[in-house]
């Protein structure tokens, strides 16, 4: 499994042609208490950079962008009843949706964990 990050603070874990997407711990910390997650529909297709869902918090509503192009194969239904999972475990149990990647070459433009940590140090 490989994990990649975007400058918009999403992460994606990739195994084969399947990617699991969420927001980073840094992002959930900036948003504050998550109150609602508007998840995408299974089967929806997105291009890299499209807004796939919205995370509402006490501070703001924030779009979550797809790190790569693909089709939604699953969503984290637990977030419907417990959106606070994003705050509690943003980078594991608080995942948002899974994509079947349509162009794995798009991963080349994303950051690895070390590069992302350097990126957020400068914010």
């Amino acid at each position: 499994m490989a994990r990649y990050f975007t400058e918009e603070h999403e992460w994606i874990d990739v195994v084969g042609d399947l990617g699991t997407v969420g927001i980073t711990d840094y992002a959930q910390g900036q948003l504050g208490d998550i109150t609602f997650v508007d998840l995408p529909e299974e089967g929806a297709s997105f291009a890299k950079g499209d807004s796939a869902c919205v995370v509402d918090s006490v501070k703001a509503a924030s779009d979550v962008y797809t790190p790569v192009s693909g089709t939604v194969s699953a969503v984290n239904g637990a977030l419907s009843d417990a959106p606070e999972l994003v705050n509690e475990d943003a980078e594991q149990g608080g995942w948002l949706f899974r994509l079947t990647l349509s162009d794995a070459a798009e991963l080349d433009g994303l950051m690895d964990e070390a590069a992302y940590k350097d990126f957020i140090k400068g914010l």
Side-chain angles (χ1 to χ4, degrees):
M1 175 175 63
R3 178 169 278 196
Y4 302 89
F5 297 85
T6 71
E7 291 185 357
E8 289 74 33
H9 309 288
E10 291 93 9
W11 56 265
I12 181 169
D13 283 340
V14 179
V15 176
D17 67 346
L18 187 64
T20 301
V21 178
I23 64 171
T24 65
D25 190 58
Y26 174 85
Q28 70 79 23
Q30 294 296 307
L31 287 168
D33 291 339
I34 305 296
T35 57
F36 181 75
V37 180
D38 185 18
L39 295 166
E41 300 218 2
E42 291 184 24
S45 293
F46 295 100
K48 179 179 180 178
D50 284 351
S51 174
C53 66
V54 177
V55 174
D56 287 333
S57 72
V58 293
K59 291 184 179 176
S62 182
D63 289 319
V64 177
Y65 303 99
T66 56
V68 294
S69 302
T71 302
V72 176
S73 59
V75 298
N76 187 351
L79 298 177
S80 296
D81 293 330
E84 66 274 11
L85 286 174
V86 177
N87 292 116
E88 295 169 1
D89 194 13
E91 297 191 15
Q92 291 295 325
W95 63 276
L96 301 173
F97 57 90
R98 292 197 168 109
L99 283 174
T100 300
L101 282 59
S102 59
D103 184 2
E106 292 175 340
L107 295 167
D108 294 340
L110 302 177
M111 294 179 274
D112 63 14
E113 186 170 2
Y116 180 72
K117 285 182 177 178
D118 285 343
F119 173 72
I120 61 174
K121 281 182 188 173
L123 299 179

